[in-house]
Amino acid sequence: MKYKKYEYDSYRIFTIQTDQFKNVHMEVVFQGTAKESKLTEYSFLSEIISFSSLKYPTRRDFVIRLEELYNAYFYGVTSKVGNSLLNNFIFDFLDPNYVSESNYLEECISFVFDTILNPNCNQNGFDYKSFQIIKSRLKSDIESIKENPVNYSLRRSLQEMYPDSISSKSILGNIEELESITPESLMETYQNLFEKNYCDIYIIGNLDMDQIAKLILKHFKNPVIKMHEQETFVKNKKIKTVRKIVEDGKFVQSNLVLGYQMQGFTTNEYNAVLTVFSEIFCGASLNSKLYQYLRNDNSLCYRVQTIYQKFDGTMLVTVGLESKNKALAIKLIEKAKSEMEKGKFSDSELQCAKDQLLLALTMSFDNQNSIINNYLFHNLVGTPLLEERKSMIQSVTKEEVMKMARKLNLGIIYELKEVSHEGN
């Protein structure tokens, strides 16, 4: 793979030239500062921009045009990464080398930027019919959060841990925030997308990247130059007393969440040691400590997993179980963490964890999205590129894992309690 960077006044282009894939993957990424009041609006914006455009004003017109481009695929994704808000407009299309039309590549590039620069709106706001369709879709998404006990529990745990922090806010927001959005207010958010957000463009495929850069420069005019600094990591206050929350649910099983704060982590701990710790503590392997203690030894659950909110400095352990087993589960999770702190894991377990992680990293080279994400976060926060990260993981020592484990402090124990049954 050949990596190249093109830097212009108002945006950057990052290219990865490779003949490994038969299609081309492209992402136009707008990066801004996450603000609680705007999260829902930016989610709405990504959806409506990728739904139709001024040139193709109905969904049917839009889809037909994508089919004409050999079933190209265009969609928008909004995500919150710590303090940063990312709006990714993603376009997958066939490698032009397999197409007879000489102008196919330019038509693809033109479609992407015409869609982003000329959305389906007028000077007063976005198209009302499209607006209502997207609003209805987002409303269903927000309401469905309560239907998934795992997602709901994780969201509530973060809300209880960090009530006044951006870390507790969902990218979808809530119904009240959604109802406050109008076609006119969404137009203001669209203008802010260019005026207040940095823009990076990533593209991977078997292309003449100098030609691609020229085509993007031709079709993407973004005159606004940004110079402000942005901080991605959220500095949350230390929780001094463990918060214990029980909330009644409507499910046949309880969902338990233990939330740990990551205090004073080094760059190496975030980028390498944490992944090794995670693999031993509660990784994909059936031999991880939590899997062994909670499922194999005590049959407490079918599911246990850890989720890292790295840029919010938080590790969440989530378990589906019967409420009567909660105390034992908490005891076993804390036991496993204590063993990690004391080094009660073998050298073979350490090496096995590394081997699993190295295999996963090697396999990620076969996925365009993974490659692009690696470069995106490398540019955003300095995450090591894949080959460097493999070397860092291989170098992690037992002592480093133990030291890092001691920096995990329990902040919350949250239970979404199972619905009670007669006779219980």
Side-chain angles (χ1 to χ4, degrees):
M1 290 188 293
K2 184 179 179 181
Y3 173 73
K4 193 170 183 179
K5 173 182 174 181
Y6 304 80
E7 193 150 7
Y8 302 107
D9 289 339
S10 55
Y11 56 85
R12 301 178 297 179
I13 302 172
F14 300 93
T15 64
I16 302 116
Q17 196 280 328
T18 175
D19 61 1
Q20 188 175 351
F21 309 100
K22 293 185 178 181
N23 72 307
V24 179
H25 181 81
M26 179 178 183
E27 297 194 22
V28 182
V29 184
F30 291 91
Q31 179 213 344
T33 300
K35 294 182 180 179
E36 177 184 352
S37 61
K38 289 292 183 181
L39 294 178
T40 310
E41 292 224 9
Y42 276 102
S43 293
F44 203 131
L45 187 64
S46 285
E47 292 285 336
I48 202 167
I49 286 177
S50 55
F51 183 78
S52 62
S53 67
L54 195 62
K55 190 172 183 179
Y56 305 104
T58 70
R59 183 59 183 170
R60 183 175 184 275
D61 294 334
F62 198 79
V63 170
I64 288 174
R65 181 53 183 155
L66 287 170
E67 290 175 348
E68 292 172 347
L69 295 172
Y70 292 89
N71 287 323
Y73 191 43
F74 183 87
Y75 60 102
V77 175
T78 303
S79 55
K80 183 174 68 66
V81 181
N83 244 337
S84 293
L85 183 68
L86 303 180
N87 280 82
N88 296 36
F89 295 100
I90 301 167
F91 189 58
D92 290 301
F93 60 98
L94 187 63
D95 184 331
N97 292 306
Y98 298 102
V99 177
S100 58
E101 292 89 340
S102 60
N103 62 340
Y104 173 70
L105 178 58
E106 182 160 9
E107 286 187 0
C108 287
I109 300 300
S110 174
F111 175 85
V112 171
F113 293 105
D114 182 68
T115 299
I116 295 172
L117 295 173
N118 298 294
N120 190 10
C121 61
N122 55 40
Q123 60 183 0
N124 296 319
F126 277 84
D127 172 68
Y128 186 74
K129 184 177 180 180
S130 300
F131 179 90
Q132 289 299 118
I133 292 172
I134 300 303
K135 182 178 179 180
S136 177
R137 182 191 298 173
L138 289 174
K139 185 176 181 181
S140 296
D141 289 343
I142 293 170
E143 291 174 341
S144 68
I145 291 174
K146 290 186 177 181
E147 304 302 317
N148 186 311
V150 179
N151 291 344
Y152 180 77
S153 299
L154 293 171
R155 181 175 179 179
R156 288 288 296 118
S157 298
L158 289 169
Q159 288 173 342
E160 293 291 343
M161 288 181 78
Y162 310 116
D164 301 317
S165 168
I166 193 66
S167 298
S168 69
K169 310 307 176 186
S170 165
I171 197 67
L172 284 175
N174 54 49
I175 297 296
E176 292 73 21
E177 291 166 344
L178 179 64
E179 292 293 346
S180 70
I181 300 172
T182 65
E184 294 75 21
S185 70
L186 198 60
M187 195 66 203
E188 180 182 346
T189 301
Y190 172 72
Q191 292 166 351
N192 287 338
L193 187 71
F194 297 95
E195 294 175 3
K196 297 182 179 181
N197 291 263
Y198 284 90
C199 181
D200 288 329
I201 300 164
Y202 294 84
I203 188 161
I204 180 171
N206 189 21
L207 303 171
D208 179 341
M209 294 306 181
D210 290 339
Q211 180 191 9
I212 282 288
K214 290 176 182 177
L215 286 174
I216 293 173
L217 203 57
K218 175 181 176 181
H219 290 280
F220 186 30
K221 307 298 181 184
N222 180 19
V224 182
I225 301 174
K226 275 76 66 175
M227 299 297 290
H228 58 283
E229 293 185 2
Q230 292 186 319
E231 175 57 50
T232 299
F233 285 89
V234 181
K235 297 178 176 64
N236 285 309
K237 295 179 181 178
K238 183 177 180 179
I239 299 173
K240 297 180 180 179
T241 303
V242 179
R243 298 168 186 170
K244 298 179 180 180
I245 309 291
V246 177
E247 185 174 340
D248 290 331
K250 59 179 182 179
F251 306 98
V252 296
Q253 190 179 59
S254 290
N255 199 74
L256 175 68
V257 178
L258 271 65
Y260 293 87
Q261 287 190 301
M262 303 175 186
Q263 296 291 324
F265 272 36
T266 66
T267 300
N268 185 56
E269 286 172 335
Y270 271 124
N271 291 330
V273 183
L274 179 60
T275 56
V276 176
F277 165 89
S278 175
E279 191 65 27
I280 301 171
F281 183 65
C282 185
S285 168
L286 300 183
N287 295 318
S288 71
K289 284 186 176 292
L290 292 192
Y291 194 94
Q292 286 288 333
Y293 293 163
L294 296 179
R295 184 171 177 181
N296 286 0
D297 296 348
N298 293 281
S299 302
L300 298 183
C301 64
Y302 287 105
R303 174 190 54 79
V304 56
Q305 65 183 125
T306 52
I307 297 170
Y308 293 92
Q309 300 286 116
K310 174 180 173 181
F311 301 101
D312 299 291
T314 306
M315 178 185 83
L316 301 166
V317 180
T318 173
V319 188
L321 40 58
E322 292 184 55
S323 186
K324 66 181 182 181
N325 295 323
K326 180 176 77 171
L328 178 57
I330 293 170
K331 181 180 178 180
L332 293 172
I333 293 168
E334 284 285 83
K335 173 188 174 183
K337 179 181 174 295
S338 176
E339 289 180 353
M340 296 298 294
E341 295 175 9
K342 297 174 182 178
K344 291 185 178 180
F345 54 93
S346 66
D347 290 339
S348 62
E349 287 178 290
L350 178 65
Q351 189 57 50
C352 182
K354 292 180 181 181
D355 291 341
Q356 290 285 343
L357 292 167
L358 294 174
L359 176 61
L361 285 174
T362 299
M363 291 176 64
S364 69
F365 279 97
D366 295 327
N367 185 286
Q368 289 171 304
N369 294 59
S370 296
I371 296 170
I372 289 291
N373 280 338
N374 185 223
Y375 278 98
L376 191 159
F377 281 94
H378 175 73
N379 294 319
L380 182 65
V381 292
T383 299
L385 294 178
L386 292 172
E387 286 295 347
E388 182 186 357
R389 194 174 181 200
K390 288 170 71 174
S391 177
M392 292 172 67
I393 287 172
Q394 191 63 270
S395 300
V396 171
T397 66
K398 187 172 187 176
E399 290 70 28
E400 287 175 324
V401 174
M402 293 164 57
K403 183 179 180 181
M404 193 222 74
R406 298 185 193 112
K407 297 181 182 181
L408 290 168
N409 299 311
L410 184 61
I412 192 170
I413 299 173
Y414 171 91
E415 180 190 10
L416 181 63
K417 194 171 184 179
E418 65 200 33
V419 65
S420 60
H421 300 283
E422 291 185 9
N424 283 357

